[in-house]
Amino acid sequence: MKPVKVGICGLGTVGGGTFNVLTTNAKNIARRAGREIIVAQIGTRRPNSDCDTRNIPMTSDIFEVAKNPDIDVVVELIGGYEVARELVMTAIEHGKHVVTANKALIAEHGEEIFALAEAKGVSVMYEAGVAGGIPIIKALREGLAANRINWLAGIINGTGNFILTEMRDKGRDFNDVLQEAQQLGYAEADPTFDVEGIDAAHKLTILASIAYGIPLQFARCYTEGISKITQDDVEYAEELGYRIKHLGVSRQTEKGIDLRVHPTLIPEARPIAKVDGVLNAVMVNGNAVGDTLYVGAGAGAGPTASAVVADIIDLARTLEADAAARVNHLAYNEIENEQVLPIEEVETSYYLRIQVQDKTGVLASVATILSERGINIEAIIQKEPKEGEELAQIILLTHRIVEKTMNGAIAAIQALDSTVGDVTRIRVEHLD
Amino acid sequence: MKPVKVGICGLGTVGGGTFNVLTTNAKNIARRAGREIIVAQIGTRRPNSDCDTRNIPMTSDIFEVAKNPDIDVVVELIGGYEVARELVMTAIEHGKHVVTANKALIAEHGEEIFALAEAKGVSVMYEAGVAGGIPIIKALREGLAANRINWLAGIINGTGNFILTEMRDKGRDFNDVLQEAQQLGYAEADPTFDVEGIDAAHKLTILASIAYGIPLQFARCYTEGISKITQDDVEYAEELGYRIKHLGVSRQTEKGIDLRVHPTLIPEARPIAKVDGVLNAVMVNGNAVGDTLYVGAGAGAGPTASAVVADIIDLARTLEADAAARVNHLAYNEIENEQVLPIEEVETSYYLRIQVQDKTGVLASVATILSERGINIEAIIQKEPKEGEELAQIILLTHRIVEKTMNGAIAAIQALDSTVGDVTRIRVEHLD
């Protein structure tokens, strides 16, 4: 069979990695795809000193690649929104298949992109967009296709996981670790995307869509970052047998779909609780398979390139076939418009940390507020004031309750004379 | 598109589970496959009271299903070798695609089966054969296709993992736990297949073939069971920071391919070390992606059916396409005849437990034997004789060394006057 001709747009870390994987593993890849996969053109403004591109046609105009009649698959690795969107749409207009690692693009403009791709009979693949080298898109779209997916939960931002791991293992503060992560290149100069959960929300939006066959609804994803997690919370969580992870969680409930990214206590006995450092992990629960867990590197040149090239190989296999031979963009042929629940309607368990004046009756007042609202307490720790301090801490784990009820309880606890400052609330997922 | 017609042969645990998943999740499955998947006939000698088969044509002759001109996909879930082989070959002869959960059949007769399937332009799918509901076959054949796979290691027998977990968590003896596993239905009346590693060897054989693109070589897989693991070994391993797991390990080395199933010490910090009970897990290291880990239920009606039905959906998508649109049976178009190393040529680290008479100079003799052979010691524990006993124990962890050298060292240690009984040797894998 004739070779598949690939055009790479963007030759930074991921673009360079993709070029190098296609080159280094060319023989293995051809043995698997049943045909050669060759880089026919690279569009980039800057060369990449890690890549030997001497025999490859280069252009500084990425749109030239998107329109190149000789090219079968355009690989978008420039990142960002607007230019990437225009590039992908142009490539599709010109009848190219597209492979991208751009989760923001898919989460926010996926519907429009997929619609055009379907009209043109081509596919847009995005395995590299979620959890780097872990083939989680493939697992959800194909490997678990027999299941009704009940829920999924993932550590899908390596920077956040690195920070929480360091805080726990070394007792360090959030800001201190964040600075190191920036120096190591794990975190961007503006860390908002990572630590405030926006990046994870992009990925979770995609995972939920392909898990349940619902539209991409990034705007409805609840997002809460990890910057307020303190060393106290990390230690109390541990004392209670939990770890704090920045989790993306999506459940299919009778009321609608949960879609939320927030710091989360998870039981330390779960294998996912031991996924530390920059690693990513996704747990999926299906009605036939039960729980499955996928762990690996969520970022970096090699892992991301592994996913990009796997998508190219999948396309290579079905290049001459009818579009029906390829998996639907959002896994399902028919997308159902299921409602994403507002966070107030979500039901989960909670960890509460309450600073109180050290006097009698305080715990009783708190317990009364909870019990009046039907909130059951699962565990409780009361800490005496530390040497030289005057405030005691009450730490509670509750059973499952709907968020708006908990909001009312927290407001009432904060209104108590004995309560000092804000109540810390971290959601708890048992993942069982 | 017209529905895909499936014939199920065997309506036991897995066959019944497959029927129920196809029925219960029919709507979701059709949304994903882009067409209905219907059970057109069931071949079984016994009904399954868990299945409502009232509207399904039944036959007691499974070969009738294999030859039924109305059927597109034959699902072989009868197990065993000879009849299963004949059934699968008959179905292929009649132009049917085949889905099977039969790892023994694929590991031992796969070459012959795949050759006929390729001649007939049909596919034989076997995701359910390895690690139950975990889509590990798909991950290796497709998700990680960009990589040169360096090694893989798996807990791929749930019975063995259950036994080792109970031994560790509750300090129980092997035979005691085995009996319970049999009562719980985890282990067969004849547990040889599970505890002696034959079942795991079947699965490992398949994983190695699709990882490296080599022929199925079950006969060359080294197999060692867990029946000799003692409570002492479990405890010493723990003291050294390790867990004992029954692991299938395959490495691509410069000398050839490792293919071996044996009890193995792995560092307790690895997430795979926490995979307990009847769960399965497979770690894969690729040259682009690094390490990835896959965890889930390795057996049972639901998980196995999840994998069987995923294969059917994959087939449904490409039923009208050219065979090139489907993945090659052993992942690669060209199979390379790489050599499987005899166990004597394998290099690994070791745990040794030596019973010795409690007198001076014993440790020096042992250390001399090791150092003369270039075997470096990584850790050592010497245990005084227990109250009322006369023998001390020396426990050693060594650096990596080729097995035949270690065999020589063990023979020399056993020949020492001070050594009592056999030296216990358990291989160690750091999985890094």
Side-chain angles (χ1 to χ4, degrees):
Chain A
M1 259 199 275
K2 70 179 174 53
V4 177
K5 291 185 179 169
V6 172
I8 298 177
C9 297
L11 202 65
T13 304
V14 177
T18 299
F19 177 81
N20 285 338
V21 166
L22 282 169
T23 315
T24 310
N25 293 348
K27 184 170 158 266
N28 252 344
I29 289 168
R31 281 175 69 205
R32 283 171 175 274
R35 60 205 299 181
E36 269 187 285
I37 294 176
I38 59 178
V39 179
Q41 192 175 29
I42 296 174
T44 183
R45 295 228 187 98
R46 291 173 216 86
N48 182 328
S49 59
D50 291 338
C51 300
D52 178 5
T53 54
R54 273 174 298 179
N55 300 313
I56 312 292
M58 308 286 283
T59 172
S60 61
D61 177 10
I62 50 175
F63 286 88
E64 196 183 301
V65 179
K67 296 171 187 168
N68 183 339
D70 208 33
I71 279 175
D72 304 301
V73 180
V74 171
V75 182
E76 182 277 302
L77 300 170
I78 60 170
Y81 294 86
E82 268 320 305
V83 182
R85 182 184 150 282
E86 205 185 323
L87 178 73
V88 166
M89 297 298 271
T90 305
I92 297 169
E93 282 288 3
H94 285 78
K96 319 293 183 202
H97 299 285
V98 172
V99 175
T100 178
N102 193 330
K103 62 233 64 173
L105 181 70
I106 296 299
E108 301 202 28
H109 300 293
E111 304 285 348
E112 175 193 19
I113 291 168
F114 298 152
L116 184 64
E118 276 151 37
K120 294 284 176 182
V122 296
S123 280
V124 177
M125 309 277 281
Y126 50 89
E127 177 68 78
V130 183
I134 308 171
I136 185 65
I137 301 288
K138 185 169 276 285
L140 276 170
R141 292 206 310 176
E142 305 172 39
L144 304 177
N147 293 266
R148 179 184 192 277
I149 305 297
N150 294 318
W151 56 264
L152 58 88
I155 298 169
I156 44 182
N157 182 279
T159 310
N161 203 38
F162 172 77
I163 293 172
L164 290 173
T165 302
E166 289 287 301
M167 286 178 72
R168 177 186 164 271
D169 286 356
K170 301 181 185 157
R172 296 170 66 189
D173 273 341
F174 174 83
N175 285 311
D176 175 33
V177 187
L178 175 59
Q179 253 179 359
E180 188 199 340
Q182 287 170 323
Q183 280 156 12
L184 289 170
Y186 295 161
E188 307 289 331
D190 173 5
T192 315
F193 250 58
D194 290 320
V195 302
E196 295 305 333
I198 301 160
D199 174 70
H202 281 140
K203 295 166 180 168
L204 183 68
T205 298
I206 296 171
L207 292 178
S209 265
I210 62 176
Y212 313 123
I214 59 171
L216 293 157
Q217 298 172 73
F218 171 68
R220 295 191 181 167
C221 185
Y222 173 79
T223 307
E224 185 181 311
I226 55 171
S227 51
K228 287 178 193 155
I229 299 295
T230 67
Q231 196 49 239
D232 277 357
D233 295 319
V234 171
E235 285 166 23
Y236 295 142
E238 183 123 3
E239 202 172 322
L240 291 159
Y242 291 77
R243 299 276 168 91
I244 301 178
K245 294 291 185 185
H246 202 191
L247 224 59
V249 182
S250 181
R251 278 179 197 277
Q252 188 159 213
T253 76
E254 281 179 18
K255 293 191 293 176
I257 305 272
D258 280 17
L259 195 63
R260 48 196 168 96
V261 174
H262 50 65
T264 314
L265 268 72
I266 56 180
E268 66 182 5
R270 303 274 172 277
I272 193 173
K274 324 282 182 178
V275 173
D276 286 332
V278 294
L279 284 180
N280 278 204
V282 181
M283 258 183 105
V284 183
N285 177 278
N287 73 340
V289 75
D291 295 338
T292 55
L293 170 68
Y294 308 82
V295 184
T304 313
S306 170
V308 167
V309 174
D311 277 349
I312 299 172
I313 296 172
D314 268 2
L315 286 170
R317 210 176 282 119
T318 56
L319 213 56
E320 280 81 17
D322 193 82
R326 292 186 288 270
V327 186
N328 296 301
H329 284 111
L330 290 178
Y332 291 76
N333 257 25
E334 303 153 34
I335 300 299
E336 284 180 1
N337 209 349
E338 275 195 77
Q339 198 190 345
V340 170
L341 289 175
I343 189 70
E344 292 74 22
E345 300 298 331
V346 167
E347 194 183 291
T348 182
S349 306
Y350 294 88
Y351 160 101
L352 302 180
R353 179 166 55 83
I354 310 162
Q355 290 202 87
V356 293
Q357 282 158 359
D358 188 26
K359 52 188 186 190
T360 51
V362 172
L363 183 59
S365 315
V366 170
T368 303
I369 288 171
L370 294 174
S371 96
E372 280 170 358
R373 287 163 179 81
I375 303 172
N376 293 315
I377 296 171
E378 189 181 302
I380 193 159
I381 307 176
Q382 184 161 2
K383 292 279 174 182
E384 295 303 299
K386 291 181 188 163
E387 191 72 25
E389 289 181 15
E390 289 187 6
L391 299 176
Q393 308 228 43
I394 298 174
I395 298 98
L396 291 165
L397 287 184
T398 77
H399 283 210
R400 293 172 70 82
I401 192 79
V402 71
E403 178 116 349
K404 62 185 170 194
T405 304
M406 181 51 77
N407 290 345
I410 289 174
I413 293 169
Q414 287 186 172
L416 290 174
D417 284 345
S418 52
T419 303
V420 181
D422 286 346
V423 171
T424 296
R425 165 242 309 270
I426 308 177
R427 295 170 192 86
V428 180
E429 291 289 342
H430 292 100
L431 305 178
D432 56 5
Chain B
M1 258 199 276
K2 70 179 173 55
V4 177
K5 292 186 177 167
V6 172
I8 298 177
C9 297
L11 202 65
T13 305
V14 177
T18 299
F19 176 81
N20 285 338
V21 167
L22 282 169
T23 313
T24 310
N25 293 349
K27 184 169 158 265
N28 252 343
I29 290 168
R31 280 174 70 204
R32 284 171 175 272
R35 61 205 297 181
E36 269 187 285
I37 294 176
I38 58 178
V39 179
Q41 193 175 28
I42 295 174
T44 183
R45 295 229 187 99
R46 290 175 217 86
N48 182 327
S49 58
D50 291 338
C51 301
D52 178 5
T53 54
R54 273 174 297 178
N55 300 314
I56 312 291
M58 308 286 284
T59 170
S60 61
D61 177 11
I62 50 174
F63 286 89
E64 195 184 303
V65 180
K67 296 171 187 168
N68 183 340
D70 207 34
I71 279 175
D72 304 301
V73 180
V74 170
V75 182
E76 181 278 301
L77 300 169
I78 60 169
Y81 294 86
E82 268 319 304
V83 182
R85 182 184 149 283
E86 207 186 322
L87 177 73
V88 167
M89 297 298 270
T90 304
I92 297 169
E93 283 287 2
H94 285 77
K96 318 294 183 203
H97 299 286
V98 172
V99 175
T100 177
N102 193 330
K103 63 237 59 176
L105 180 71
I106 297 298
E108 302 202 29
H109 300 293
E111 304 286 347
E112 175 194 19
I113 290 168
F114 298 152
L116 184 64
E118 276 152 36
K120 293 284 176 181
V122 297
S123 280
V124 177
M125 309 277 281
Y126 50 89
E127 177 69 77
V130 183
I134 308 172
I136 185 64
I137 301 288
K138 184 169 277 285
L140 276 170
R141 293 206 309 176
E142 305 172 39
L144 304 177
N147 292 267
R148 179 185 191 278
I149 305 297
N150 294 317
W151 56 263
L152 58 87
I155 299 169
I156 43 182
N157 182 278
T159 310
N161 202 39
F162 172 78
I163 293 173
L164 290 173
T165 302
E166 290 287 301
M167 286 178 72
R168 176 186 164 270
D169 287 355
K170 302 182 184 156
R172 297 169 66 187
D173 273 340
F174 174 84
N175 284 313
D176 175 34
V177 187
L178 175 59
Q179 251 178 0
E180 189 199 340
Q182 286 170 321
Q183 279 156 12
L184 288 169
Y186 295 161
E188 307 289 331
D190 173 5
T192 315
F193 249 57
D194 290 320
V195 302
E196 295 306 333
I198 301 160
D199 173 71
H202 281 140
K203 295 166 180 169
L204 183 69
T205 298
I206 296 171
L207 291 178
S209 265
I210 62 176
Y212 313 124
I214 59 172
L216 293 157
Q217 297 172 74
F218 171 68
R220 293 189 181 169
C221 185
Y222 173 79
T223 307
E224 185 181 312
I226 54 170
S227 52
K228 287 178 191 154
I229 300 294
T230 67
Q231 196 49 239
D232 278 356
D233 296 319
V234 171
E235 284 166 24
Y236 295 141
E238 183 124 5
E239 201 172 323
L240 291 158
Y242 291 77
R243 300 275 169 92
I244 301 179
K245 293 291 185 185
H246 202 191
L247 225 58
V249 182
S250 180
R251 279 179 196 276
Q252 188 158 213
T253 76
E254 282 179 17
K255 293 191 293 177
I257 306 272
D258 280 16
L259 196 63
R260 48 196 168 96
V261 173
H262 50 66
T264 314
L265 269 72
I266 56 179
E268 65 182 4
R270 303 273 172 277
I272 193 174
K274 324 282 180 176
V275 173
D276 286 332
V278 293
L279 285 179
N280 278 204
V282 181
M283 257 183 105
V284 184
N285 178 278
N287 72 340
V289 75
D291 294 339
T292 55
L293 170 68
Y294 308 82
V295 184
T304 312
S306 170
V308 167
V309 174
D311 278 349
I312 299 172
I313 297 172
D314 268 2
L315 286 170
R317 212 176 280 119
T318 56
L319 213 56
E320 279 82 18
D322 193 84
R326 292 187 287 269
V327 186
N328 296 301
H329 283 111
L330 290 178
Y332 292 76
N333 258 22
E334 302 153 35
I335 299 300
E336 284 180 0
N337 209 346
E338 276 194 77
Q339 198 190 343
V340 169
L341 289 175
I343 190 71
E344 292 74 21
E345 299 299 331
V346 167
E347 194 183 291
T348 183
S349 306
Y350 293 88
Y351 159 102
L352 302 180
R353 179 166 56 84
I354 310 161
Q355 291 201 85
V356 293
Q357 282 158 0
D358 188 27
K359 53 188 184 187
T360 52
V362 172
L363 183 58
S365 315
V366 169
T368 303
I369 287 171
L370 294 173
S371 96
E372 280 170 358
R373 288 162 178 82
I375 302 172
N376 292 315
I377 296 171
E378 189 182 302
I380 193 161
I381 306 175
Q382 183 161 3
K383 294 278 174 184
E384 296 303 299
K386 291 181 189 163
E387 192 72 24
E389 290 182 15
E390 288 187 6
L391 300 176
Q393 306 229 44
I394 299 173
I395 297 98
L396 290 166
L397 287 185
T398 77
H399 284 210
R400 291 173 71 81
I401 191 78
V402 71
E403 177 115 349
K404 63 186 169 194
T405 304
M406 180 52 77
N407 289 345
I410 289 174
I413 293 168
Q414 288 186 171
L416 290 173
D417 283 346
S418 52
T419 303
V420 180
D422 286 346
V423 171
T424 297
R425 166 241 310 269
I426 308 177
R427 295 170 193 85
V428 180
E429 292 290 341
H430 292 100
L431 305 177
D432 56 6

